[in-house]
Amino acid sequence: KKPLDDIETIEFKNVWFRYPEQKEYALKNISIKINAREKWSIVGENGSGKSTFIKLLARLYDVEQGEILVNGVNIKEYDYEKYVSRFSVVFQDSQLFSMSVYENITFSGPLKENGPRFEDAVEKAGIKGKIAGLSNAEDTIIHRDFDDNGYEPSGGEVQKIALARAIYKDGSLFILDEPTAGLDPKGRDELFFQIKRLYEKNNITIVLISHSMEDVAKLVNRIIIMKNGHIHLDKSTK
């Protein structure tokens, strides 16, 4: 199996996919090529295929027909663990666990060998001040399953912690799947501000998935609009 150090190009070639036990295809003959470090977004209504596109790219599922190429190589030829390690993903239903804030972001246990990296992640995700103000700072337990004084984050705080987790992982491709879903206007504005800061980094590629053209138009320079499993429109915004 091939190693994967960086992602330079992504290409879908005649990709078809349907979920197990479903008759209808979620993606239908998708062909598109995207360059790394391009600011791009996938926009579409619920059921248009945008999240499926990302799940196939991240190898949560494999294509039924066609192929996905990264750097010109079929993604099935890469070492799986090395391949998925290049992805930092924030889904719209991000989950936090009944562990400390630090462990939720780093998953590296209580030995704080990567303190500066943790501090950098929470700063870029806009959650540093909130964490510092908790009863035990980053050692505060999330939820109250095992600690009556546990921290119950709001929806916006959950997404910011998930974003910090993705930044800490330091993948070369960030995938943000409807990260503002369910947030109030203030929470959406705050999270989009942090995403805009991420876009300013030149050494990563970010894919922003949204159902709203208005949300992403000012952040990206290429928008892919999906409809009924097809690419309905591929346009430059700059």
Side-chain angles (χ1 to χ4, degrees):
K1 295 292 184 177
K2 299 177 183 292
L4 178 63
D5 297 322
D6 200 2
I7 296 174
E8 296 296 337
T9 60
I10 296 166
E11 184 175 8
F12 278 58
K13 295 182 69 174
N14 309 117
V15 170
W16 292 76
F17 175 78
R18 57 186 165 186
Y19 289 96
E21 300 181 6
Q22 297 294 313
K23 293 182 179 179
E24 290 293 321
Y25 280 91
L27 292 183
K28 307 167 187 175
N29 200 27
I30 297 292
S31 293
I32 191 168
K33 187 171 183 178
I34 299 155
N35 295 317
R37 288 168 280 282
E38 191 172 28
K39 299 176 181 179
W40 55 289
S41 177
I42 301 175
V43 177
E45 298 176 351
N46 291 340
S48 62
K50 57 188 188 296
S51 291
T52 302
F53 183 101
I54 291 305
K55 289 176 181 178
L56 292 178
L57 178 60
R59 290 214 64 190
L60 297 180
Y61 296 92
D62 284 329
V63 303
E64 184 171 325
Q65 299 177 44
E67 60 180 347
I68 302 173
L69 308 176
V70 168
N71 301 347
V73 176
N74 190 305
I75 60 175
K76 295 180 182 179
E77 295 185 30
Y78 289 114
D79 177 89
Y80 178 79
E81 295 296 333
K82 295 286 180 61
Y83 180 80
V84 298
S85 74
R86 306 316 301 145
F87 290 80
S88 290
V89 186
V90 179
F91 287 114
Q92 58 182 297
D93 56 349
S94 297
Q95 299 297 309
L96 302 182
F97 302 90
S98 298
M99 304 184 294
S100 72
V101 174
Y102 182 88
E103 290 168 318
N104 265 276
I105 291 172
T106 68
F107 287 102
S108 61
L111 297 177
K112 299 184 179 181
E113 299 173 354
N114 292 310
R117 185 170 160 191
F118 171 82
E119 293 294 330
D120 180 65
V122 298
E123 165 99 29
K124 289 177 178 174
I127 197 76
K128 183 177 181 178
K130 178 64 182 182
I131 293 173
L134 296 175
S135 57
N136 291 311
E138 69 266 25
D139 293 321
T140 303
I141 300 297
I142 292 180
H143 302 317
R144 295 178 182 144
D145 300 303
F146 306 115
D147 186 341
D148 291 339
N149 296 314
Y151 160 48
E152 292 292 349
S154 66
E157 290 162 357
V158 168
Q159 290 302 81
K160 286 182 180 179
I161 292 172
L163 183 60
R165 178 191 293 166
I167 294 169
Y168 183 90
K169 186 179 179 184
D170 198 29
S172 58
L173 179 65
F174 275 69
I175 298 173
L176 307 177
D177 185 2
E178 298 274 14
T180 61
L183 301 187
D184 60 29
K186 181 180 178 181
R188 291 174 69 237
D189 289 344
E190 289 177 348
L191 195 61
F192 270 122
F193 175 75
Q194 303 306 331
I195 292 170
K196 184 177 180 180
R197 291 179 64 191
L198 265 184
Y199 266 117
E200 292 169 356
K201 290 184 65 176
N202 294 323
N203 61 335
I204 61 173
T205 302
I206 301 179
V207 184
L208 179 58
I209 301 175
S210 178
H211 65 273
S212 170
M213 181 87 77
E214 182 181 355
D215 282 345
V216 302
K218 294 180 180 180
L219 290 174
V220 302
N221 52 32
R222 184 178 178 185
I223 295 177
I224 298 163
I225 300 175
M226 298 197 68
K227 186 175 182 180
N228 298 325
H230 295 282
I231 293 177
H232 180 66
L233 183 65
D234 182 0
K235 63 177 291 186
S236 171
T237 62
K238 302 295 182 181

